[in-house]
Amino acid sequence: MTAPGLVAALLADTGDEEWLARVPRRLDTFLSALPAPVRAGVAAAATAVDAYAVLHSGRRLAALTPEERETVLDSLAARPGLVPALDLLKVPVLLAAATERTPVPPAPAVPDDPPLDCTPAEEWPARASADAVVVGSGAGGAVAARTLARAGLSVVVLEEGEHHTTASFGRRAPLDRFTDLYRDGGATAALGNPPLLLPVGRAVGGTTVVNSGTCYRTPDHVLDRWSSRHGFHLADGLAARLDEIERTLRVATQPLDVLGTNGLLALAGAEQLGWRAGPLRRNAPGCKGSCQCVVGCPTGAKQSVQLSVLPDACAHGARIVTGARVLRILLDHDRPGLPRAAGIRARRTDGSELEILSPLVVTAAGALQTPPLLRRSGLGGHPRLGRNLSVHPATSVAGRFTEPVTSWEGVLQSTGVEELHDRGILIEATASPPGMSSFVLPGLGRCLRRELEGADRLAILGAMIADRPAGRVLGRDRTLVRYSLDPRDGGRLMTAVRAMGRILFAAGAHEVLTGIPKAPRARTLAQLDALLTGITPRDLHLSAFHPTGTVAAGSDPQRAPADAEGWLRGVDGVLVADASVLPSCPEVNPQLSIMAAALAVTENYLAGDASSRTSTAA
């Protein structure tokens, strides 16, 4: 069992609560699903704290009394350089603790999901053929598959993850689903200063299964920029395609009756300040407010693409192969000019391989996975491939209220505050299942335990910024993400923290928790401003959720790895139809933007002579 003494110390376990005794086992289960380097890091940190306890008291943490463990933690916390590391160590412990302390009741029975033609890779033949192969079943891949299948092409979709049903979501605890539905158990990160947690989905439906359901249209000025500055002229027709995607996903403004107290407080604070705000538009008709969007909607209300787009693709003949990691795009070099796509080779979970031959390959593995796939295929020669990465860096702030908020009852992402959106800052009231928020409670030991027990009185806001494309995706077999926060973007994040504090105080909070270890709490707006004076953006606890732009489309062959119609340069027969094709940061939650771009790319392909389509010059 992983460091029960450390868990007892962090959560001030005095033996008085039965749920605390279950946390170490829950933590072990969670950690077992994470990549080996992450597990090793947690184990090393736990060992280091235990070693410090031996030096400090002569005994390991597990052998100390609660009071002695508290003394050890106080001594560690007195060393400012160790506080950020201790904060990171708290994250998995809080996930496990909140799951045991506040279990989410099973969802009621739900109707069966629309049928999908899914075949596990182990049951798929070693050699097959199709008119088109789509790599990835998320927002872009689903739309590409549907568009091509509707046109009469035989389409096969390859998905590395598995198919999960709505009924299965309701039967399992949120944390158990978390490790299944996210790549690397949600531990994907961008290395930099500061590092960013960057979780992405891996399942039939991709990240749409685990996003918030928020559906912003691409702003007009972003579409204009994509067309005029980058030469991605398909953006000129995205408005009509956004309309179509909204109809498909049944997008509508979220009604107030299930908004939840968290969202209502954000509305109240914005109203007091005279700021523009309102309930968000979402693809969740009939939402029950279960606040579990990020681990698979247990009621089937959220219209993720495995419920809304892929069933139509399958009804028109598309087939989905699950548990298949695409190793490379096969190329035909026995012809004049550029090599041509000839299909894909994929690996099953048992290690065996399969091939699907096809003259058209649509890459829709996402902005973090498409560049490594192209490198593995010998198609990584463009100097900008993997660059141009935007991620919407985000941070959270919490407000403590006198009355219960119970933020995990209601819509997960409920209210948008757009007062600062023209400055690149979008604020959204964002709750989560217990313990899964990107906001980290302050303190250690007894202090952290009090915060955990009082979490039902916290309202949480998150802010994301429209960032400069300052990241890069490296690697072939495993993805390595690097991201350096631009100073301008750091200033936006600090502005966002102040703005969220203002909203919460205006809504009646008597204390604001910043999530910043150096300056964790303020009781007045003046105190918050004073605290933030000595803080830099690198002191913030940051996460990100929307990677885009790593195979950007555009007219300049020197800057854009894909041409203005989404064809990958340097090869014939490879279309890019996922978040990587977006030329720059979309400045809003990007699902609609990705889906509309995929629709534009594939419709443009169908409008031409498919048999003679070629990419532009290498």
Side-chain angles (χ1 to χ4, degrees):
M1 187 172 291
T2 303
L6 176 64
V7 173
L10 288 175
L11 299 177
D13 184 3
T14 59
D16 58 337
E17 294 278 1
E18 181 184 350
W19 65 269
L20 279 163
R22 300 193 299 267
V23 173
R25 188 173 299 278
R26 174 70 71 172
L27 177 62
D28 272 354
T29 301
F30 173 62
L31 292 176
S32 67
L34 301 185
V38 177
R39 297 198 305 271
V42 172
T47 299
V49 174
D50 226 16
Y52 183 85
V54 172
L55 291 172
H56 190 272
S57 66
R59 288 171 293 159
R60 300 177 65 180
L61 281 171
L64 300 180
T65 66
E67 291 74 19
E68 290 170 333
R69 290 195 295 260
E70 194 76 13
T71 301
V72 170
L73 290 183
D74 288 344
S75 177
L76 283 169
R79 302 168 183 265
L82 295 179
V83 173
L86 289 169
D87 247 36
L88 288 175
L89 194 56
K90 287 185 330 192
V91 172
V93 174
L94 286 172
L95 279 168
T99 297
E100 292 299 337
R101 186 177 182 276
T102 314
V104 175
V110 295
D112 291 338
D113 293 346
L116 294 178
D117 187 346
C118 288
T119 302
E122 285 76 13
E123 300 175 15
W124 188 266
R127 179 68 67 93
S129 62
D131 295 327
V133 171
V134 179
V135 182
S137 65
V143 169
R146 184 183 73 167
T147 307
L148 297 173
R150 280 177 167 179
L153 278 68
S154 63
V155 178
V156 178
V157 181
L158 279 296
E159 170 55 52
E160 188 176 358
E162 302 296 336
H163 178 220
H164 301 268
T165 65
T166 299
S168 74
F169 297 149
R171 291 194 295 264
R172 305 178 65 202
L175 185 57
D176 295 338
R177 287 135 58 187
F178 186 88
T179 54
D180 282 349
L181 292 170
Y182 286 84
R183 182 175 296 277
D184 292 332
T188 304
L191 303 180
N193 186 16
L196 292 166
L197 191 65
L198 187 55
V200 290
R202 187 180 69 170
V204 172
T207 300
T208 75
V209 180
V210 293
N211 68 14
S212 63
T214 297
C215 289
Y216 270 101
R217 293 175 68 94
T218 322
D220 288 342
H221 70 271
V222 172
L223 296 177
D224 290 343
R225 182 199 312 142
W226 288 353
S227 180
S228 62
R229 185 183 304 177
H230 297 278
F232 181 47
H233 300 305
L234 293 180
D236 294 335
L238 284 197
R241 293 179 170 106
L242 287 165
D243 291 340
E244 178 178 340
I245 298 300
E246 284 191 322
R247 288 192 294 270
T248 296
L249 299 183
R250 301 166 66 190
V251 174
T253 301
Q254 182 63 53
L256 292 176
D257 59 346
V258 292
L259 207 62
T261 305
N262 197 64
L264 294 174
L265 286 170
L267 285 176
E271 183 178 10
Q272 284 293 316
L273 296 171
W275 286 7
R276 288 175 290 130
L280 289 166
R281 287 174 59 77
R282 306 180 65 243
N283 62 328
C287 175
K288 307 298 182 185
S290 66
C291 199
Q292 296 181 51
C293 305
V294 294
V295 283
C297 176
T299 68
K302 188 180 74 169
Q303 294 298 290
S304 312
V305 296
Q306 87 280 8
L307 300 182
S308 56
V309 180
L310 288 171
D312 191 18
C314 291
H316 285 84
R319 295 164 292 170
I320 304 168
V321 183
T322 62
R325 171 177 167 78
V326 177
L327 299 176
R328 61 184 295 115
I329 297 169
L330 302 175
L331 300 175
D332 177 7
H333 292 277
D334 296 332
R335 58 194 297 271
L338 297 174
R340 181 170 187 87
I344 60 90
R345 178 177 298 134
R347 178 181 293 140
R348 304 180 177 99
T349 54
D350 63 6
S352 62
E353 296 182 1
L354 62 87
E355 288 185 354
I356 302 176
L357 304 181
S358 172
L360 175 65
V361 175
V362 180
T363 62
L368 302 188
Q369 298 301 320
T370 287
L373 168 62
L374 296 177
R375 292 190 187 106
R376 293 195 300 271
S377 306
L379 298 173
H382 195 283
R384 298 288 297 171
L385 183 80
R387 296 181 181 269
N388 194 53
L389 174 67
S390 292
V391 297
H392 276 154
T395 191
S396 299
V397 169
R400 191 183 308 283
F401 290 80
T402 303
E403 298 298 321
V405 177
T406 320
S407 62
W408 51 87
E409 294 179 0
V411 176
L412 183 141
Q413 197 166 78
S414 51
T415 293
V417 181
E418 300 189 18
E419 185 69 18
L420 304 179
H421 201 187
D422 59 353
R423 295 166 59 182
I425 300 168
L426 181 56
I427 296 172
E428 296 167 331
T430 306
S432 69
M436 290 189 184
S437 172
S438 58
F439 180 80
V440 180
L441 294 170
L444 301 166
R446 285 193 292 264
C447 176
L448 182 59
R449 172 84 173 271
R450 286 194 298 271
E451 294 289 355
L452 187 61
E453 291 174 345
D456 65 334
R457 283 173 163 73
L458 295 180
I460 301 174
L461 301 180
M464 66 183 193
I465 61 165
D467 58 323
R468 185 179 75 86
R472 185 179 181 186
V473 174
L474 304 166
R476 291 167 53 93
D477 298 318
R478 282 195 64 84
T479 299
L480 176 65
V481 185
R482 293 193 179 277
Y483 186 88
S484 297
L485 186 68
D486 183 82
R488 178 200 64 177
D489 295 335
R492 286 177 172 174
L493 285 165
M494 297 307 300
T495 299
V497 172
R498 289 186 174 91
M500 290 187 286
R502 289 187 66 186
I503 294 168
L504 291 165
F505 279 127
H510 59 81
E511 183 179 53
V512 163
L513 306 181
T514 65
I516 304 169
K518 290 183 180 179
R521 62 187 80 241
R523 293 188 176 276
T524 66
L525 188 57
Q527 187 179 22
L528 177 63
D529 287 337
L531 284 174
L532 295 179
T533 300
I535 298 300
T536 72
R538 285 168 174 76
D539 295 316
L540 300 174
H541 179 75
L542 298 182
S543 53
F545 305 95
H546 306 143
T548 59
T550 53
V551 195
S555 58
D556 185 346
Q558 302 304 312
R559 297 196 59 79
D563 73 9
E565 297 178 346
W567 292 100
L568 184 69
R569 299 184 192 274
V571 65
D572 287 342
V574 178
L575 277 175
V576 186
D578 59 16
S580 60
V581 81
L582 303 184
S584 68
C585 179
E587 301 187 9
V588 291
N589 303 57
Q591 180 175 336
L592 296 189
S593 302
I594 297 166
M595 295 176 74
L599 183 58
V601 165
T602 47
E603 284 188 337
N604 184 73
Y605 161 75
L606 292 170
D609 179 3
S611 65
S612 62
R613 290 295 299 163
T614 60
S615 68
T616 56

